[in-house]
Amino acid sequence: MMIGAKKNILDAIGGTPIIKLNKVANEVKSEIYVKLEFMNPGGSSKDRIGGFIMDRAVSAGKLKPGGTIIEGTSGNTGVGLAMWAAVNGYKCIFVMADKQSIEKVNNLKAFGAKVVVCPTDVEPEDPRSYYSVSKRLAETIPNSYYVNQYDNLWNRETHVATTGPEIFEQTKGDFDVYMAGVGTGGTITGVSTYLKTKMPHLKTVGVDVEGSIVAQFARTGDLSGARSYVIEGIGEDFIPENYDFKVIDDWVVVGDKESFLMTRALLKQEGIYTGGSGGAAVVGAIKYAKTLVEPKKILVILPDSGNRYASKIFNDEWMMSKGYIASSFNVIIKDLLAELGKNNNEVISITDHANIGDAVKLMEQKNVSQLPVIADGIIKGVLSENALLKPLFNGEYHLSDSVSLAYSNKYREVDINDLLSNVADSLLKKEVVLVKENGKLVNLLSNIDILNYIAKSENI
Ligand SMILES: Cc1ncc(COP(=O)(O)O)c(C=O)c1O
């Protein structure tokens, strides 16, 4: 072995740094520190449980060499298990809910794992749920092991044995509050179980998401009323066995939107690229800090990496489509036309019997650059200045040619009372949008109108 090298990738798990937040939490006096679990080699805290659980499963004779690991996973546990399987020569089948991001699915497939996608919004007992499908696969595939991170207590043991001692060694216990988002409950329970043996005054606070029932159950014993939410990895609609509520002292509940905005702020202001559950945990820490009389030192776990969410949280179009960030496209077309002073426009059009020379003259006279082409009251297409220039210049078209040669059918129709976002994709592709009111053509929108509208809104 070369000096300074690790014997394999699994030996690189753990030893993740703890960093002080310097900007996003300035509204509170408490100091907030984050532990970057996404710096594990597979990109999340779940690397820790993958190897730890599988080493014990093999030692306990639960599966033999070459066997199949089966797990219901939101993605991260799958990567932890797949990494262990690659090093040790096992196969993997992962069962995922359909709300998980495509990056996670592709990542697992890249490891050579089989991925089965199941519907998100069904009860855990439903035969289509990812819990039921995972169990069924494990029962029917020989020499297989269903990890079940929810109820397998080796999950929380991992954090008693690794994450907890690592945090104590790094900090010497120099903090007052430990906080983590809660999913299976393994991280919050395992780390807290260990730390409380060393730090009797430590307060452990769980961060749950609106729509989940974990915090509500801990406070009132009520398991009802689960609703769907968007954050991946945290929140549950049942209570997994890994929870030990005796080591969790308090709870905060956070929403999707504030968590995603914080996830983006962590990257833009602190340079920290974590996922939505990391943003949620920091929002939770700030909320909790606001309830404190004395400022404290708060340590927060950031479970996974932002690059798993490039198509969602870090994609402006996705954020706008969900209403998490403002969009110039969230305006009713009628209001946009009024704003632009285009609300009582007479639409200048031309018939399909006209020739290109007539069209050019009309465009010049009326000072328009686009002409809908109408035949017998029906829209046939749109003739645009841009599409005429080059073919006229190089002699491909002549002024005496029919407009039928030159009009394009790349246009969209939309009702004046619809949102602009309905035709955003067409406008971004530079297609003309024809606006109708009660079925009658009343206006025409093109990219320059949108640019003018954005310019006007930004001046307000
Ligand atoms: C992204 C992410 N954050 C947080 C968690 C929660 O950790 P735990 O399951 O240990 O409660 C998970 C678990 O699946 C996760 O994938």
Side-chain angles (χ1 to χ4, degrees):
M1 271 292 286
M2 189 181 82
I3 294 171
K6 309 260 188 211
K7 105 174 162 292
N8 61 41
I9 191 75
L10 304 174
D11 268 11
I13 296 171
T16 59
I18 294 173
I19 311 283
K20 182 174 187 289
L21 293 183
N22 296 300
K23 293 186 187 148
V24 297
N26 279 355
E27 60 186 302
V28 293
K29 291 224 167 60
S30 291
E31 292 171 10
I32 299 180
Y33 296 84
V34 289
K35 183 163 173 66
L36 309 189
E37 281 295 288
F38 58 78
M39 289 185 69
N40 280 302
S44 89
S45 55
K46 300 287 180 168
D47 289 359
R48 297 180 188 263
I49 71 169
F52 187 94
I53 292 177
M54 288 317 301
D55 284 341
R56 272 143 199 85
V58 169
S59 301
K62 298 205 181 273
L63 88 170
K64 291 177 216 39
T68 303
I69 302 166
I70 295 169
E71 179 60 330
T73 166
S74 65
N76 290 326
T77 304
V79 171
L81 290 167
M83 225 161 56
W84 182 92
V87 170
N88 291 288
Y90 288 76
K91 299 187 276 289
C92 294
I93 302 179
F94 298 122
V95 185
M96 298 178 75
D98 57 8
K99 81 168 185 183
Q100 309 300 337
S101 56
I102 190 71
E103 289 90 334
K104 289 183 179 175
V105 176
N106 289 342
N107 199 359
L108 291 176
K109 285 187 177 166
F111 271 102
K114 289 202 172 68
V115 175
V116 182
V117 178
C118 297
T120 304
D121 288 326
V122 294
E123 296 292 317
E125 306 77 40
D126 188 297
R128 294 165 300 164
S129 80
Y130 76 106
Y131 314 109
S132 309
V133 173
S134 313
K135 272 203 197 113
R136 203 162 58 238
L137 287 171
E139 281 158 13
T140 51
I141 296 173
N143 191 21
S144 66
Y145 176 62
Y146 173 37
V147 176
N148 188 4
Q149 59 174 327
Y150 297 93
D151 300 327
N152 186 333
L153 298 186
W154 283 329
N155 171 357
R156 70 188 195 193
E157 284 303 316
T158 308
H159 298 288
V160 177
T162 72
T163 327
E166 183 179 305
I167 290 173
F168 188 73
E169 220 165 89
Q170 282 173 306
T171 61
K172 312 287 180 259
D174 182 25
F175 61 98
D176 313 286
V177 181
Y178 159 64
M179 295 186 69
V182 298
T184 65
T187 312
I188 190 114
T189 302
V191 170
S192 181
T193 300
Y194 178 85
L195 289 178
K196 279 176 179 278
T197 64
K198 301 281 182 189
M199 302 164 64
H201 301 296
L202 178 76
K203 280 261 173 289
T204 295
V205 181
V207 181
D208 198 10
V209 54
E210 283 164 14
S212 157
I213 51 93
V214 179
Q216 165 191 303
F217 174 79
R219 285 170 176 154
T220 67
D222 181 8
L223 279 169
S224 67
R227 285 175 290 112
S228 64
Y229 49 85
V230 184
I231 298 182
E232 298 171 39
I234 59 171
E236 297 295 347
D237 51 7
F238 70 108
I239 304 295
E241 293 290 324
N242 271 290
Y243 281 93
D244 178 356
F245 290 102
K246 290 195 299 299
V247 299
I248 310 171
D249 304 290
D250 211 341
W251 292 88
V252 255
V253 177
V254 301
D256 285 325
K257 180 177 172 178
E258 57 185 343
S259 300
F260 293 149
L261 294 179
M262 177 56 76
T263 308
R264 289 161 67 102
L266 281 165
L267 183 56
K268 288 211 173 106
Q269 297 178 38
E270 308 273 355
I272 295 174
Y273 196 24
T274 189
S277 70
V282 172
V283 170
I286 295 171
K287 283 192 180 178
Y288 184 73
K290 286 181 180 165
T291 68
L292 295 170
V293 184
E294 293 277 302
K296 304 270 186 203
K297 288 180 185 155
I298 303 175
L299 175 66
V300 179
I301 301 286
L302 302 187
D304 73 350
S305 163
N307 64 22
R308 302 234 152 109
Y309 309 91
S311 66
K312 291 184 166 182
I313 305 168
F314 295 100
N315 174 350
D316 287 352
E317 278 171 40
W318 184 83
M319 289 290 285
M320 283 177 197
S321 73
K322 296 275 181 189
Y324 297 142
I325 56 176
S327 159
S328 305
F329 288 114
N330 282 339
V331 59
I332 292 175
I333 291 171
K334 196 172 199 164
D335 297 340
L336 170 120
L337 291 169
E339 181 74 27
L340 291 174
K342 281 184 70 170
N343 39 352
N344 43 17
N345 232 13
E346 172 206 0
V347 182
I348 316 292
S349 63
I350 196 161
T351 77
D352 66 345
H353 298 303
N355 64 34
I356 291 176
D358 299 330
V360 172
K361 224 180 280 164
L362 192 58
M363 284 180 179
E364 197 206 334
Q365 273 169 7
K366 301 286 183 181
N367 195 23
V368 294
S369 54
Q370 261 123 357
L371 284 177
V373 179
I374 314 264
D376 302 327
I378 295 168
I379 301 164
K380 292 282 183 177
V382 177
L383 191 65
S384 73
E385 194 179 66
N386 282 349
L388 287 178
L389 188 63
K390 199 171 158 203
L392 276 176
F393 191 73
N394 63 22
E396 193 186 329
Y397 294 165
H398 297 99
L399 291 176
S400 55
D401 287 337
S402 162
V403 291
S404 307
L405 262 187
Y407 68 74
S408 154
N409 54 9
K410 285 214 175 90
Y411 67 92
R412 276 273 288 281
E413 294 181 15
V414 71
D415 190 86
I416 197 160
N417 294 308
D418 279 347
L419 278 173
L420 183 64
S421 53
N422 289 340
V423 286
D425 56 332
S426 296
L427 288 163
L428 292 171
K429 279 188 280 180
K430 299 192 178 156
E431 291 173 5
V432 177
V433 169
L434 302 179
V435 183
K436 289 182 148 183
E437 189 166 21
N438 302 322
K440 188 172 162 280
L441 180 63
V442 291
N443 225 312
L444 191 142
L445 276 179
S446 63
N447 284 44
I448 190 67
D449 296 317
I450 308 308
L451 290 176
N452 283 338
Y453 175 71
I454 292 171
K456 278 199 164 197
S457 338
E458 294 205 345
N459 282 339
I460 291 169

